[in-house]
């Protein structure tokens, strides 16, 4: 490849890097009636048995009004039949993109278990009461951080960020209530499709996808790997 020297080359053969996945799979007969119940089953296993650092970490992919995508990792903070909830700065890139294009994809990459869950749906802001209730559960430092960082904007340097935080810490010392930032809050992703991916031997993976029907029920499809 032009411009790549031996010193720059990756010190192993990427093409030969592969794992053989498990023989046990995921059958239609094992699925819950709906995707949220099935997600709850898998999430419990991921949290208790999966050996994952943050099982609630998920990749959130959005696109702007022109269809240009972007992705980042955030933490799932709640899920129920209404959807999957995360919190962010509404002025961040993902916040702005969801404001103009609410279609979103969530990916839970549970690699140690050879599992993935992919949620596609529509994101809507949570109510301010719900946002405030969650904000009060955050550690004091995280509350200050929500004010200190103008997320996704260019900052001159780390010193400026630390100075902004220090000023807030002086204004709102530990034990004093930090107001909820007006530009900060939750998004709830109402699922339209939820795919459960289980790695299998010989790359013949199991991929079972719930698809929302107009009457509120769910159709299950098996996808070719």
């Amino acid at each position: 490849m032009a411009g790549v020297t031996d010193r720059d080359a990756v010190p192993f053969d990427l093409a030969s890097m592969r794992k053989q996945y498990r023989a046990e799979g995921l059958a239609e007969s094992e699925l819950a009636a709906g995707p949220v119940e099935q997600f709850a089953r898998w999430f419990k296993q991921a949290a208790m048995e999966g050996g994952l650092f943050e099982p609630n970490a998920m990749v959130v992919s959005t696109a702007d009004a022109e269809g240009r995508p972007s992705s980042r990792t955030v933490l799932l903070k709640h899920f129920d039949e209404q959807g999957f909830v995360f919190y962010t700065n509404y002025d961040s890139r993902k916040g702005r993109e969801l404001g103009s294009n609410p279609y979103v994809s969530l990916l839970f990459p549970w690699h140690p278990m050879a599992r993935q869950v992919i949620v596609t749906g529509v994101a809507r802001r949570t109510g301010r009461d719900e946002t405030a209730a969650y904000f009060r559960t955050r550690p004091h430092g995280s509350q200050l951080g929500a004010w200190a960082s103008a997320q996704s904007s260019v900052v001159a340097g780390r010193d400026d960020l630390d100075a902004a935080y220090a000023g807030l810490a002086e204004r709102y010392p530990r034990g004093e209530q930090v107001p909820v930032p007006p530009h900060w809050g939750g998004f709830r992703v109402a699922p339209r499709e939820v795919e459960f991916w289980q790695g299998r031997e010989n790359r013949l993976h199991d991929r079972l996808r719930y698809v929302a029907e107009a009457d509120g029920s769910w159709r299950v499809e098996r996808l070719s790997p």
Side-chain angles (χ1 to χ4, degrees):
M1 182 185 296
V4 176
T5 67
D6 289 343
R7 186 174 63 182
D8 297 325
V10 176
F12 28 71
D13 181 6
L14 290 175
S16 67
M17 293 180 67
R18 60 177 56 86
K19 295 286 187 180
Q20 186 65 278
Y21 296 141
R22 61 198 290 174
E24 301 82 11
L26 179 64
E28 287 84 344
S29 61
E30 300 170 345
L31 288 178
V36 174
E37 181 183 351
Q38 181 62 36
F39 180 84
R41 291 179 184 178
W42 269 26
F43 185 81
K44 182 178 180 180
Q45 292 175 350
M48 299 182 67
E49 307 165 16
L52 295 157
F53 173 61
E54 287 184 318
N56 60 327
M58 59 184 183
V59 178
V60 176
S61 296
T62 58
D64 63 18
E66 285 73 44
R68 293 171 295 195
S70 62
S71 299
R72 74 289 293 158
T73 302
V74 305
L75 297 178
L76 176 71
K77 287 301 178 181
H78 179 74
F79 69 91
D80 56 25
E81 293 295 335
Q82 282 67 54
F84 299 79
V85 178
F86 66 93
Y87 292 86
T88 189
N89 186 317
Y90 288 140
D91 295 330
S92 66
R93 180 172 180 176
K94 59 184 171 297
R96 296 194 308 271
E97 290 184 350
L98 288 173
S100 61
N101 177 6
Y103 294 98
V104 62
S105 174
L106 313 176
L107 168 64
F108 294 85
W110 295 332
H111 300 309
M113 306 178 74
R115 286 179 174 176
Q116 301 178 74
V117 180
I118 305 165
V119 179
T120 55
V122 176
R124 296 284 185 264
R125 291 188 181 190
T126 59
R128 293 309 293 173
D129 288 347
E130 184 176 356
T131 288
Y134 169 70
F135 188 79
R136 298 290 172 229
T137 70
R138 303 185 93 205
H140 180 73
S142 297
Q143 293 182 11
L144 296 179
W147 280 101
S149 172
Q151 195 175 70
S152 300
S153 65
V154 176
V155 61
R158 179 74 197 195
D159 289 347
D160 288 5
L161 190 62
D162 290 340
Y165 181 90
L168 287 160
E170 183 175 353
R171 183 177 179 182
Y172 300 107
R174 191 171 299 276
E176 185 169 334
Q177 187 175 84
V178 180
V180 182
H183 56 272
W184 188 95
F187 280 105
R188 173 173 283 101
V189 178
R192 299 281 182 85
E193 297 181 355
V194 184
E195 178 184 334
F196 293 85
W197 184 101
Q198 175 66 71
R200 296 291 303 275
E201 291 180 327
N202 304 315
R203 295 300 184 264
L204 296 178
H205 313 305
D206 285 324
R207 299 177 60 190
L208 298 182
R209 179 174 65 186
Y210 292 82
V211 180
E213 300 279 38
D215 63 359
S217 64
W218 294 93
R219 181 178 77 254
V220 174
E221 303 172 329
R222 176 174 284 272
L223 304 178
S224 176

